[in-house]
């Protein structure tokens, strides 16, 4: 019933005899057609780009061949926790780190900054504390004890008198509280619900530390810096604009919280000439009760009114598999201001044909601007064309989907097929802090090495940047600035690659 | 560039406003359209079938809901080695075992019979022995010592004097030599090449035991019996017609070996009224040297000439990832008799865009009748329509792909999408002996529970049977017999399910 119109019909016409005439020509034509169909395949490269493309393809071929010879060191087929040191030795990764990547469009603000920085910076400040909450979970804070059931321990004082090794072990223990990283991911988190439980706990552990006003500011400044250093000029982050506190006993509500972030973003722009901006997608926990949901609608309406260009839209967050499906949130959606743009998480699931899976259909029915994850879209061919013609970008968080147990070997990730079908995809990082990633480069590495064919090269990579820019929510002026910056930085990137001998 | 014609365009027309008019109607329409698009979706069920369908859907929903509540006992998301005892407690599995499945179209003869039977039957016969071959591998035999580097141990004598526990342990040791099963598959075989090495070794371990004429006959008779008991009336098996020997010092060449099998099949038919037959696909190890390949061409031509209706076609076997690609076997293919039908293994790989992956294209270019595995087809949208319009069935070996490390959670298996696209798929079992499966039921269980939506029911299951029959290589007379048997057995199946209270 679903008809797929085949571009190259050679195949059908000749394949009726066993001996194939013009076999080489047909094979070459097939390869070229597939290359053109692939994400970015219709681009035309400049002479300079062709040189870089050749270089990248050669390096890629080398890494793939090395993997074919020795799978035990082949990062693209491995879990990120085990692959990370291997990725960091990859020449392809070295190049990817230098690419101007445009925009980061799906990241949760309190899961965005490297764990190392949190430990080495925030937990070394005099205010940092930890305590236990009512669920028995160790949580971090900095003076706010409303969630503590025992006495808060000052972290700086706790370190006092420790020797070097003790401090190292203590910091590793602190780090383990805000990170999913471990040596044996297939054993430690044996299924998706286990890993999600720990994942959602980390949000609780970190929350009171980050809502301390000075930390809040510095954390978000650091987020922008880490992203900027990774070639990201613009960010759209999911946030709940939690209430803040300081050490003078003051509290700051959601509108003030938004204002603080707005100022951080503006301040960052002053000293970073390639920075285009950062905007917020207001996110509500999908399993909140009715009263809280109603409150959140009001809060969204208020922050949106106060910061109309900074707060660009609305989303629900939290593990879809545990409910509540979008269709049950219809009333909440209906209560929002009519011009609200949606960036719904949908289809972050393997439960095909269930109410969970139906989120992917409902997100489109509710006219979402982009889809968060869209992992399950592959199982709905009926929607592929809709996504294509309506230009609904799929925010693909490669490492997140692996760490959170949707897929093991990323070469089986559905986005490989989205790329093959040339669907609108943006590569995103979701919660890099929680798995010890940094910026977008690690996700890009997998996208290039695991989710695209051995033959893909610079066109594919450039398209990832172009897509991220295309699907950013930018004013005309911002877009012009972004395009100009990208064009300059892209050229700088090409020159840098060509000037370095180490890649040759 | 690839255009997907969308059947239901509702989505595109209304989704421009946030509040969706007639939401329920549209959602229902979407669900129904997807159900119709799915494999088997265009069938019309009889009243009796509707009753069974309801029953099956309810049981399926129950099992899925139990899985949502407790993932640690949810077989469809687990590795077969861990899932097997859970599957055997499933009511869905109990029903699937009773379904008349039609045909088994992709199985390697020396990996087809349950390990239990081999141990309890063959190794308990006076001729059974083991020894070590030149690679240090324990191999089984029954008088043929040409591959032994040490003295062969008679198994019956070895058991002599052992107590019950010692025999149990000894038999478990024997069993471990011809099985991949272990408690920790993710640890024991950490990557695809490791598991393939052990997998190909098992073929060596079992070979000399099975080429002993009396064992050869009984083994294949047993294969037909196990399949028959699982609702399989017809089998096409891959085989190399290895030379046989007996205990009188006689040897039997490939043509005689084929003759022996031909007689076993005929003999089986005499006492099994629902048996339609069994045929052979001649298989050649793809990494054989030129001389051996040439010899194999001659041997194939001879067996084909002697048993034109029994020997139906040709294939290359062995791990594709290690080479040799089909294109390099072009000369061998060209040297075969012009009317030869091909059943090429192709695309049993995750190496997209490499020469390995190109097998999937070349198999079609070389006009293959069916595709063995076709795992990589998903990454070639250009070929989907070709496969559909040319009716090239994809032989999907679900458990095999998992055990041999292409995919972990089978809900990520590409065949889920083949089903969603209504591509021609047959569910096959490949090497059930090596992973302690039996017949086709386990593969069917995963196809139904992991590779199709929660909403699929009897139509989907019936289509699996119908496809297996449709894509069998049958004469008009055989087809008529098969269809008649299926029709009677299908009705018997429906009655049996409806009569049993235990499912209600």
């Amino acid at each position: 019933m679903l008809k797929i119109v085949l571009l190259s019909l050679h195949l059908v016409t000749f394949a009726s005899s066993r001996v194939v005439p013009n076999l080489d020509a047909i094979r070459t034509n097939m390869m070229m057609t597939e290359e053109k169909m692939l994400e970015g395949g219709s681009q035309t490269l400049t002479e300079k780009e062709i040189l870089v493309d050749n270089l990248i393809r050669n390096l890629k071929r080398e890494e793939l061949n090395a993997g074919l010879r020795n799978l035990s060191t082949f990062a693209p087929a491995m879990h990120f926790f085990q692959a990370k040191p291997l990725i960091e030795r990859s020449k392809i990764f070295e190049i990817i780190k230098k690419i101007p990547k445009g925009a980061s469009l799906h990241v949760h603000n309190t899961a965005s900054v490297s764990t190392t920085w949190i430990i080495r910076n925030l937990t070394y400040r005099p205010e940092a504390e930890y305590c236990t909450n009512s669920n028995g979970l160790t949580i971090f804070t900095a003076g706010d004890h409303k969630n503590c059931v025992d006495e808060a321990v000052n972290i700086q004082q706790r370190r006092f008198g420790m020797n070097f090794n003790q401090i190292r072990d203590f910091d590793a223990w602190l780090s383990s509280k805000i990170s999913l990283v471990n040596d044996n991911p297939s054993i430690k988190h044996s299924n998706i619900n286990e890993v999600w439980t720990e994942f959602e706990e980390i949000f609780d552990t970190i929350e009171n530390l980050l809502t301390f006003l000075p930390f809040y500011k510095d954390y978000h400044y650091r987020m922008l810096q880490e992203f900027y250093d990774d070639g990201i000029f613009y960010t759209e982050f999911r946030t709940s604009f939690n209430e803040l506190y300081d050490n003078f006993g003051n509290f700051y509500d959601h509108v003030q919280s938004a204002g603080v972030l707005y100022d951080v973003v503006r301040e960052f722009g002053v000293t970073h000439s390639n920075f285009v901006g950062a905007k917020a997608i207001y996110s509500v926990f999908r399993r909140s009760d009715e009263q809280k949901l109603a409150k959140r609608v009001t809060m969204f309406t208020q922050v949106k009114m106060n910061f109309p260009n900074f707060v660009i839209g609305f989303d629900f967050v939290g593990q879809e598999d545990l409910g509540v499906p979008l269709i049950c949130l219809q009333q909440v959606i209906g209560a929002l201001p009519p011009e609200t743009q949606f960036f719904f998480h949908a289809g972050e699931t393997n439960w095909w044909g269930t109410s969970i899976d139906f989120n992917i259909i409902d997100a489109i029915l509710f006219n979402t601007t982009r889809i968060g994850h869209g992992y399950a879209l592959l199982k709905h061919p009926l929607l592929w064309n809709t996504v294509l013609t309506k230009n609904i970008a799929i925010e693909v968080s490669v490492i997140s989907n692996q760490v959170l147990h949707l897929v093991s070997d990323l070469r089986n990730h559905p986005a490989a097929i989205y790329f093959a079908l040339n669907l609108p995809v943006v590569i995103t990082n979701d919660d890099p802090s929680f798995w010890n990633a940094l910026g977008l480069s690690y996700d890009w590495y997998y996208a290039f090495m695991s989710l695209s064919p051995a033959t893909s090269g610079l066109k594919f990579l450039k398209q990832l940047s172009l897509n991220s820019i295309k699907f950013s929510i930018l004013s005309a002026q911002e877009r012009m600035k972004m395009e100009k910056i990208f064009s300059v930085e892209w050229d700088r990137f090409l020159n840098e690659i060509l000037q370095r001998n180490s890649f040759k």
Side-chain angles (χ1 to χ4, degrees), chain A:
Chain A
M1 308 215 343
L2 182 89
K3 284 211 198 323
I4 296 151
V5 179
L6 203 65
L7 192 80
S8 160
L9 291 169
H10 299 284
L11 219 55
V12 182
T13 51
F14 73 75
S16 50
S17 77
R18 189 164 48 80
V19 180
V20 184
N22 308 319
L23 184 67
D24 286 348
I26 291 161
R27 295 177 95 242
T28 308
N29 184 297
M30 291 281 309
M31 288 186 215
M32 283 173 56
T33 308
E34 288 199 334
E35 268 193 56
K36 266 196 190 147
M37 278 171 64
L38 188 81
E39 204 85 15
S42 59
Q43 286 176 40
T44 313
L45 296 182
T46 63
E47 275 181 50
K48 201 191 279 182
E49 284 174 330
I50 288 170
L51 292 173
V52 174
D53 181 47
N54 285 335
L55 197 146
I56 289 178
R57 282 177 191 240
N58 286 337
L59 290 175
K60 185 174 183 178
R61 201 172 306 121
E62 274 172 32
E63 284 193 33
L64 292 174
N65 284 338
L68 263 168
R69 283 192 303 273
N70 183 3
L71 273 170
S72 65
T73 58
F74 185 60
M78 289 164 67
H79 191 286
F80 179 59
F81 296 168
Q82 284 142 349
K84 191 174 177 241
L86 298 168
I87 294 174
E88 285 162 357
R89 268 178 267 151
S90 150
K91 284 183 180 166
I92 289 290
F93 183 66
E94 211 179 316
I95 291 175
I96 283 176
K97 278 198 292 182
K98 295 180 192 302
I99 296 179
K101 298 179 188 67
S104 167
L105 299 182
H106 183 127
V107 63
H108 297 273
N109 65 328
T110 60
S112 62
V113 171
S114 59
T115 309
T116 317
W117 183 86
I118 298 169
I119 300 299
R120 295 207 188 141
N121 188 309
L122 296 188
T123 78
Y124 273 79
R125 300 204 197 172
E127 297 91 345
E129 300 170 314
Y130 67 85
C131 70
T132 310
N133 76 1
S134 58
N135 295 322
L137 191 73
T138 302
I139 62 169
F140 297 169
T141 186
D144 175 4
H145 300 151
K146 71 170 180 298
N147 293 323
C148 301
V149 296
D150 54 5
E151 204 173 335
V153 177
N154 184 283
I155 293 178
Q156 204 173 59
Q157 284 170 21
R158 183 80 183 70
R159 279 200 195 91
F160 190 75
M162 283 185 183
N163 66 28
F164 177 81
N165 285 344
Q166 288 168 326
I167 289 177
R168 190 198 52 201
D169 292 348
F170 176 66
D171 285 0
W173 177 79
L174 289 176
S175 183
S176 74
K177 298 292 167 191
I178 52 169
S179 171
L180 292 169
V181 176
N182 67 85
D183 291 338
N184 270 303
S186 66
I187 291 168
K188 183 159 186 219
H189 306 115
S190 76
N191 68 51
I192 194 169
N193 289 355
E194 277 178 23
V195 73
W196 262 92
T197 301
E198 194 178 329
F199 174 68
E200 292 195 344
E201 281 173 357
I202 296 178
F203 284 100
D204 291 341
T205 295
I206 201 83
E207 179 173 337
N208 293 114
L209 188 78
L210 298 186
T211 48
F212 179 54
L213 179 66
F215 289 9
Y216 190 69
K217 286 183 182 171
D218 291 357
Y219 180 92
H220 286 92
Y221 194 94
R222 176 70 189 183
M223 173 185 84
L224 298 177
Q225 187 67 56
E226 287 185 357
F227 285 14
Y228 190 82
D229 294 343
D230 197 41
I232 299 162
F233 311 130
Y234 170 78
T235 295
E236 292 175 12
F237 55 89
R238 262 81 168 173
T239 182
S240 308
F241 292 131
N242 285 328
E243 188 180 72
L244 309 178
Y245 63 97
D246 62 19
N247 39 9
F248 308 108
N250 302 315
F251 292 92
Y252 305 84
D253 71 7
H254 52 286
V255 178
Q256 290 169 309
S257 177
V260 171
L261 277 188
Y262 182 81
D263 289 341
V264 168
V265 171
R266 215 170 38 180
E267 193 193 325
F268 188 85
V270 173
T271 48
H272 296 81
S273 56
N274 279 343
F275 184 66
V276 176
K279 298 182 184 176
I281 295 165
Y282 189 74
S283 302
V284 175
F285 189 60
R286 61 190 322 124
R287 298 200 302 278
S288 306
D289 62 37
E290 220 171 298
Q291 211 178 348
K292 194 159 185 185
L293 287 171
K295 203 177 132 200
R296 288 294 187 175
V297 168
T298 311
M299 287 164 78
F300 168 73
T301 312
Q302 289 167 346
V303 290
K304 176 73 185 163
M305 209 185 329
N306 280 277
F307 302 95
N309 299 319
F310 177 56
V311 179
I312 55 171
F314 188 93
D315 187 16
F316 295 105
V317 295
Q319 190 184 1
E320 285 179 74
D321 283 359
L322 302 188
V324 176
L326 268 183
I327 190 72
C328 298
L329 296 161
Q330 209 184 339
Q331 287 209 322
V332 182
I333 294 167
L336 292 163
E339 70 285 348
T340 306
Q341 274 196 292
F342 299 114
F343 300 85
F344 290 131
H345 276 71
E348 189 183 5
T349 188
N350 265 326
W351 291 94
W352 189 15
T354 65
S355 62
I356 307 157
D357 174 61
F358 224 81
N359 282 345
I360 193 81
I361 295 178
D362 287 327
I364 296 172
L365 289 176
F366 290 132
N367 202 25
T368 197
T369 299
R370 298 194 303 257
I371 295 170
H373 295 287
Y375 189 92
L377 177 71
L378 189 65
K379 289 179 176 162
H380 298 277
L382 203 56
L383 301 176
W384 297 348
N385 207 37
T386 310
V387 160
L388 196 66
T389 54
K390 288 177 67 70
N391 252 320
I392 303 170
I394 310 152
E395 301 165 352
V396 172
S397 293
V398 187
I399 298 171
S400 170
N401 294 158
Q402 184 188 55
V403 171
L404 296 178
H405 269 244
L406 283 179
V407 59
S408 173
D409 185 333
L410 282 168
R411 296 177 298 176
N412 289 314
H413 194 290
I417 317 306
Y418 305 159
F419 288 135
L421 290 167
N422 213 343
L423 298 187
V425 170
V426 288
I427 294 296
T428 54
N429 53 6
D430 209 9
D431 315 277
S433 173
F434 293 2
W435 35 83
N436 203 12
L438 186 72
L440 278 168
S441 288
Y442 293 97
D443 288 282
W444 271 53
Y445 176 81
Y446 277 116
F448 188 54
M449 297 299 286
S450 317
L451 275 69
S452 81
T455 45
S456 77
L458 190 67
K459 287 183 182 181
F460 179 84
L461 292 167
K462 191 178 181 186
Q463 195 63 45
L464 295 186
S465 295
L466 295 176
N467 282 0
S468 81
I469 296 169
K470 177 176 177 187
F471 295 104
S472 294
I473 307 301
L474 298 170
S475 69
Q477 200 185 349
E478 288 165 336
R479 188 166 294 281
M480 220 157 64
K481 183 177 177 191
M482 175 66 120
E483 281 166 3
K484 197 171 155 195
I485 289 168
F486 177 75
S487 151
V488 172
E489 288 304 312
W490 182 254
D491 198 53
R492 192 199 304 277
F493 157 71
L494 297 175
N495 292 337
E496 189 178 346
I497 297 301
L498 290 176
Q499 275 155 21
R500 283 177 64 109
N501 284 315
S502 64
F503 294 122
K504 284 175 194 166

